[in-house]
Amino acid sequence: MSRWSAEPLRIALAPGEAALLNPRGTRVLTTHARSATSLLPLLDEALGDPAWRSSRVEVVLSQHFVRHVLTPPPGKALRRNEEAALVAASLREIYGDEAAHWRVQVHGQPPQAGLVGAAIDESFAQQLDALLARHGFLEAAIRPLSSIAAQRLPKKFEGWWALVEPGWLGLFGGANGVWQHLAGQPVDADWITALPGLIEREAGWSTLPAKPAVWVQALGVGAVSTPVVDNARWQMLPCDSQVRGALALAGI
């Protein structure tokens, strides 16, 4: 067993790309297909290389493959199975019967705030679990990009957080240690120009300050300039503008 076996492997999956990252280097796999499952055969082949052997692996999923939801406030403390049921019910209200086939993760919040849920396709998750087990990983975690990227935010965060990757923008509003609003949508290369208007629109549905702080976290999309509008206090989180696509998600 190599001396790197104790070091975790990080894998990022995004439409058309899978990136592998460990202390020995990186590898990017590409396909013309855009679905999450289309990446699994590429990943299966790559993990046959001893260079990627490890006892631990963390898979970071692009926002394209995850659906987020903020539930109504439960008003009381819930057991874990009750939290999952509330998140699942909120997803079904938005996405219909399709949501019945999703695996749910829950980010707990105080009872007066809604629960934050993240969901991925259960069939894909099972196939990924089986693939990782087949390649000998003893510890495997599958995480939404948002749960990893949020660790870069200030501890006393208040305002809006724009999490951007190629083709997608997630917008999260929070104050007093809890998430109060979230939204997400596909975007094109001109997303930074559209962002002030998106924040103004979403602010109409929230109780956040009229001129809030906005933290922009752009991953894999190149250099980004601060918007030249004054409807918010803009903060740009550090990023390597030279790293593109799924590799930027793996290195977060």
Side-chain angles (χ1 to χ4, degrees):
M1 188 173 292
S2 78
R3 64 191 180 95
W4 293 105
S5 61
E7 296 287 346
L9 171 64
R10 173 73 70 82
I11 298 171
L13 302 181
E17 283 192 335
L20 291 79
L21 172 67
N22 72 5
R24 283 189 282 183
T26 62
R27 184 178 177 186
V28 177
L29 315 168
T30 61
T31 174
H32 292 298
R34 303 284 291 174
S35 69
T37 54
S38 69
L39 298 168
L40 296 180
L42 299 177
L43 193 58
D44 195 18
E45 182 179 357
L47 291 177
D49 186 337
W52 307 111
R53 286 178 185 165
S54 174
S55 60
R56 294 180 291 157
V57 62
E58 182 177 61
V59 181
V60 182
L61 294 181
S62 160
Q63 296 175 98
H64 288 270
F65 301 146
V66 180
R67 292 294 172 262
H68 294 90
V69 70
L70 181 66
T71 74
K76 64 177 182 179
L78 301 178
R79 294 189 293 270
R80 296 186 70 174
N81 65 322
E82 292 175 325
E83 290 183 337
L86 178 57
V87 167
S90 293
L91 287 165
R92 283 196 301 273
E93 286 187 10
I94 300 171
Y95 298 101
D97 293 341
E98 181 184 4
H101 306 290
W102 292 347
R103 179 180 297 186
V104 169
Q105 293 183 10
V106 180
H107 171 71
Q109 300 203 111
Q112 69 273 17
L115 301 170
V116 177
I120 62 174
D121 180 76
E122 178 64 38
S123 175
F124 162 73
Q126 289 181 2
Q127 292 178 66
L128 181 56
D129 285 339
L131 186 157
L132 298 175
R134 188 163 62 249
H135 285 281
F137 295 103
L138 302 179
E139 299 178 36
I142 304 173
R143 305 191 192 283
L145 173 64
S146 58
S147 69
I148 304 296
Q151 298 173 20
R152 302 291 184 90
L153 291 171
K155 290 184 177 179
K156 294 184 178 180
F157 175 81
E158 182 167 347
W160 293 97
W161 170 41
L163 177 60
V164 186
E165 60 177 293
W168 195 270
L169 186 153
L171 188 62
F172 304 78
N176 301 317
V178 298
W179 295 111
Q180 300 179 358
H181 190 86
L182 62 85
Q185 66 179 50
V187 291
D188 58 23
D190 198 33
W191 62 267
I192 192 66
T193 302
L195 181 57
L198 175 60
I199 290 172
E200 186 174 6
R201 184 189 76 192
E202 295 297 325
W205 299 91
S206 78
T207 58
L208 294 173
K211 190 175 180 179
V214 178
W215 295 84
V216 179
Q217 190 170 14
L219 303 175
V221 297
V224 178
S225 300
T226 304
V228 288
V229 292
D230 61 0
N231 67 335
R233 304 186 305 277
W234 300 95
Q235 306 284 342
M236 310 301 286
L237 287 169
C239 66
D240 187 343
S241 62
Q242 302 301 310
V243 181
R244 296 300 187 106
L247 191 56
L249 277 57
I252 182 65

